[in-house]
């Protein structure tokens, strides 16, 4: 690659924080809220003009409930849902055979509520700001370099929490990272879109009344009789459409009821080979995903009951990335841990979503379930040999298969809360996050409502 030499220059220090959270998605919101307090200066930087990340793209939150129907994600994540529900902007946690539970949320109210919490907690939010590099002295991260319309600046911090989803801070700080399966294949992303004018009752009646025609993937009829639901299946309809010349990139029809009675969110675009850490690849994904939307909408109107008069109402502001970088931390969670429902002495979160792998090639997916729930140890948030840094969300220390379970938003929210509380307690104790008394962290998590089993 051709290169140029950039002249050395002094970079202005915009701010000095006690805790800096990079990335304002599900994990970042919870981390910033949990870190605030005890007089600490907490900052949150986000590249977009709103908070919420994948909470704002039309997806439901999966996995608040475990395999046995009990609630396993509580604490700050549940309080966030409670605030949304008080505004009529979230549903109850509805049990779901394939996805453990389904919680419908209003994406615009998420943005509003997240900002309100940041203001209440005194968190300083900086939008339209891109992370560019990590500041490292010896084995410790001391802050980050940012880029914005104001140019290149630095934010110094005693502790940095990487909630970028892509492990950007950790990668730039020299933490060992991995991407994908043994061949580098990653789960493909989806660009969500919403259709209005759907006759949801007709769709519901067709699925329940004609299981021989509308084949569902292990979804019992009672799942659809009342309330919110996810359809997964209608494979026959897709095969019929493909035989008629429709270009459908997935093997299953995935539809999610919205909060409005005639609203359906569609989870069916799929662009294989997208790497969100490479801008040209991510750009290709966004362009191709948008093209797929209109063909999928045409398929739904023609082949799926209730969609004849439906229209595209809105498209998500960005693709939902299922997988990119993960760090190699002090413990790497595995699918074997999940399937065995493994318990850990340093558990800081409990999860129960299945190992749900959307195949890197082709349009199908594979799901593996544990019988109950499993623990996520604190060590998964701690990079090897790099101090001053915590990593929370889907880029925490998990292998390819395990991340297919931990990537859902409820789990990311729980990991973010744990990271934020750990950062604050470590500063209060005058130690690095890796040297924090884990029992003190677990005690605070329990005292503030988190579920640890």
């Amino acid at each position: 690659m051709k290169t140029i030499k950039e002249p050395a220059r002094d970079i202005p220090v915009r701010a000095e924080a006690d805790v800096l959270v990079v990335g304002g998605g599900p994990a970042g919101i919870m981390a910033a809220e949990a870190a605030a307090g005890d007089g600490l200066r907490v900052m949150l930087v986000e590249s977009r003009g709103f908070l919420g990340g994948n909470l704002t793209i039309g997806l439901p939150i999966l996995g608040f409930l475990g395999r046995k129907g009990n609630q396993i994600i509580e604490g700050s994540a549940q309080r966030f849902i409670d605030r949304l529900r008080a505004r009529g902007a979230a549903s109850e946690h509805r049990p779901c055979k394939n996805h453990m539970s389904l919680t419908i949320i209003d994406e615009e109210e998420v943005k509003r509520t997240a900002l309100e919490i940041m203001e209440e907690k005194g968190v300083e939010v900086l939008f339209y700001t891109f992370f560019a590099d990590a500041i490292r002295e010896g084995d410790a991260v001391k802050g980050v370099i940012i880029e914005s319309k104001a140019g290149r600046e630095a934010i110094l911090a005693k502790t940095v929490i990487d909630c970028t989803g892509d492990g950007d801070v950790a990668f730039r700080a020299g933490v060992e990272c991995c991407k994908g399966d043994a061949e580098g294949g990653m789960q493909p992303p989806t660009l969500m879109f919403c259709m209005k004018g759907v006759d949801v009752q007709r769709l519901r009646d067709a699925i329940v009344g004609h299981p021989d025609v509308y084949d569902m993937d292990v979804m019992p009829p009672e799942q659809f009789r009342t309330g919110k639901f996810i359809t997964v299946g209608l494979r026959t309809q897709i095969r019929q459409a493909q035989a008629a010349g429709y270009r459908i990139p997935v093997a299953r029809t995935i539809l999610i009821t919205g909060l409005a009675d005639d609203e359906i969110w569609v989870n069916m675009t799929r662009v294989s080979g997208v790497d969100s850490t490479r801008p040209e690849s991510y750009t290709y994904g966004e362009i191709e995903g948008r093209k797929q939307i209109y063909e999928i909408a045409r398929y739904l109107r023609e082949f799926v009951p209730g969609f004849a008069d439906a229209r595209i109402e809105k498209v998500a502001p960005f693709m939902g990335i299922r997988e990119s970088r993960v760090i190699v931390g002090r413990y790497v969670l595995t699918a074997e841990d999940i399937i065995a429902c493994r318990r850990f002495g340093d558990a800081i979160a409990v999860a129960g979503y299945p190992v749900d792998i959307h195949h890197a090639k082709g349009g199908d997916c594979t799901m593996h379930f544990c019988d109950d729930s499993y623990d996520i140890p604190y060590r998964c948030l701690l990079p090897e040999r790099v101090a001053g840094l915590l990593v929370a969300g889907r880029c925490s220390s998990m292998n390819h298969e395990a991340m297919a379970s931990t990537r859902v938003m409820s789990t990311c929210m729980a990991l973010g809360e744990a990271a934020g509380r750990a950062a604050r307690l470590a500063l209060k104790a005058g130690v690095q996050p890796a040297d924090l008394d884990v029992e003190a962290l677990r005690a605070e998590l329990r005292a503030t409502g988190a579920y640890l089993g």
Side-chain angles (χ1 to χ4, degrees), residues 277-329:
T277 68
R278 295 169 50 225
E280 71 279 11
S281 179
Y282 204 169
T283 299
Y284 163 74
E286 291 280 353
I287 293 170
E288 180 61 25
R290 196 165 290 270
K291 290 178 181 176
Q292 291 179 4
I293 282 173
Y294 299 95
E295 184 79 340
I296 292 167
R298 191 166 73 95
Y299 150 72
L300 292 170
R301 293 189 194 102
E302 183 68 24
F303 289 90
V304 179
F307 280 87
D309 298 319
R311 67 187 184 279
I312 296 174
E313 175 74 6
K314 52 191 168 184
V315 177
F318 59 90
M319 294 193 92
I321 300 298
R322 289 187 174 90
E323 181 175 13
S324 60
R325 290 192 200 101
V326 293
I327 69 162
V328 177

Side-chain angles (χ1 to χ4, degrees), residues 308-428:
D309 298 319
R311 67 187 184 279
I312 296 174
E313 175 74 6
K314 52 191 168 184
V315 177
F318 59 90
M319 294 193 92
I321 300 298
R322 289 187 174 90
E323 181 175 13
S324 60
R325 290 192 200 101
V326 293
I327 69 162
V328 177
R330 299 193 173 209
Y331 186 84
V332 179
L333 194 74
T334 68
E336 290 74 22
D337 292 329
I338 292 171
I339 301 304
C341 302
R342 193 150 291 153
R343 304 300 172 193
F344 295 93
D346 62 337
I348 43 76
V350 174
Y353 191 73
V355 176
D356 178 10
I357 302 178
H358 293 245
H359 299 169
K361 299 176 182 177
D364 218 333
C365 81
T366 303
M367 300 182 86
H368 302 283
F369 296 81
C370 68
D371 292 332
D372 187 0
S373 60
Y374 62 91
D375 289 350
I376 301 177
Y378 178 53
R379 288 164 289 162
C380 288
L381 309 184
L382 297 171
E384 285 272 30
R385 296 182 295 278
V386 176
L389 178 65
L390 289 151
V391 181
R394 73 165 189 267
C395 50
S396 299
S397 184
M398 329 284 179
N399 70 6
H400 167 69
E401 293 80 13
M403 198 278 304
S405 170
T406 61
R407 63 182 171 83
V408 294
M409 291 184 284
S410 61
T411 305
C412 289
M413 294 168 87
L415 295 179
E417 178 180 7
R421 294 195 184 283
R424 182 169 47 75
L425 289 175
L427 287 173
K428 189 175 179 180

Side-chain angles (χ1 to χ4, degrees), residues 8-329:
R9 53 179 167 163
D10 292 330
I11 297 174
V13 175
R14 169 177 280 271
E16 297 185 41
D18 293 299
V19 179
L20 173 65
V21 180
V22 183
I29 295 168
M30 298 294 110
E33 177 186 4
D38 296 331
L40 299 181
R41 184 180 186 185
V42 178
M43 297 185 68
L44 171 61
V45 296
E46 166 58 44
S47 61
R48 299 183 176 95
F50 55 87
L51 297 178
N54 281 353
L55 289 165
T56 70
I57 65 173
L59 287 166
I61 305 179
L62 308 177
F64 264 96
L65 306 183
R67 182 81 160 160
K68 295 184 177 181
N70 59 311
Q71 186 162 343
I72 57 174
I73 304 290
E74 297 183 352
S76 295
Q78 180 57 48
R79 288 189 287 275
F80 191 86
I81 297 300
D82 290 341
R83 291 179 70 137
L84 292 177
R85 289 196 70 186
R87 289 175 166 157
S91 70
E92 74 284 359
H93 305 313
R94 181 170 173 76
C96 178
K97 186 175 179 66
N98 270 5
H99 306 94
M100 301 304 95
S101 66
L102 164 71
T103 310
I104 306 295
I105 53 174
D106 182 299
E107 68 279 5
E108 294 303 325
E109 285 296 340
V110 164
K111 300 173 187 177
R112 174 189 178 191
T113 300
L115 273 177
E116 286 179 347
I117 292 171
M118 297 303 103
E119 290 179 352
E120 292 165 7
K121 294 293 184 179
V123 175
E124 299 174 47
V125 177
L126 198 60
F127 286 141
Y128 306 114
T129 302
F130 286 87
F131 165 80
D133 207 350
I135 302 170
R136 181 170 165 172
E137 295 180 7
D139 292 333
V141 172
K142 297 294 186 179
V144 303
I145 304 296
I146 58 172
E147 288 274 6
S148 71
K149 293 291 181 84
R152 195 168 176 87
E153 299 174 301
I155 299 178
L156 304 180
K158 296 173 183 174
T159 304
V160 177
I161 307 178
D162 184 345
C163 295
T164 61
D166 295 320
D168 291 334
V169 181
F171 178 72
R172 291 288 184 179
V175 176
E176 182 182 355
C177 296
C178 298
K179 279 194 296 190
D181 58 21
E183 299 177 350
M186 291 180 283
Q187 296 189 61
T190 290
L191 183 59
M192 296 285 293
F193 67 99
C194 174
M195 298 191 76
K196 282 286 191 75
V198 181
D199 187 341
V200 175
Q201 190 58 49
R202 187 178 175 204
L203 173 64
R204 192 191 304 274
D205 291 343
I207 292 168
V208 173
H210 302 281
D212 54 328
V213 176
Y214 302 105
D215 51 327
M216 308 306 296
D217 283 17
V218 202
M219 299 292 278
E222 59 267 21
Q223 189 76 52
F224 302 111
R225 293 192 190 281
T226 60
K228 305 300 180 185
F229 61 83
I230 300 179
T231 69
V232 180
L234 288 90
R235 293 173 182 264
T236 301
Q237 282 63 41
I238 287 183
R239 287 193 293 269
Q240 290 172 350
Q242 290 171 334
Y246 286 70
R247 298 182 304 279
I248 309 299
V250 289
R252 310 175 306 163
T253 304
I254 305 177
L255 308 172
I256 306 156
T257 48
L259 289 172
D261 291 339
D262 67 339
E263 177 180 288
I264 290 284
W265 282 88
V266 183
N267 184 350
M268 291 179 64
T269 68
R270 176 170 296 186
V271 189
S272 296
V274 171
D275 183 346
S276 61
T277 68
R278 295 169 50 225
E280 71 279 11
S281 179
Y282 204 169
T283 299
Y284 163 74
E286 291 280 353
I287 293 170
E288 180 61 25
R290 196 165 290 270
K291 290 178 181 176
Q292 291 179 4
I293 282 173
Y294 299 95
E295 184 79 340
I296 292 167
R298 191 166 73 95
Y299 150 72
L300 292 170
R301 293 189 194 102
E302 183 68 24
F303 289 90
V304 179
F307 280 87
D309 298 319
R311 67 187 184 279
I312 296 174
E313 175 74 6
K314 52 191 168 184
V315 177
F318 59 90
M319 294 193 92
I321 300 298
R322 289 187 174 90
E323 181 175 13
S324 60
R325 290 192 200 101
V326 293
I327 69 162
V328 177

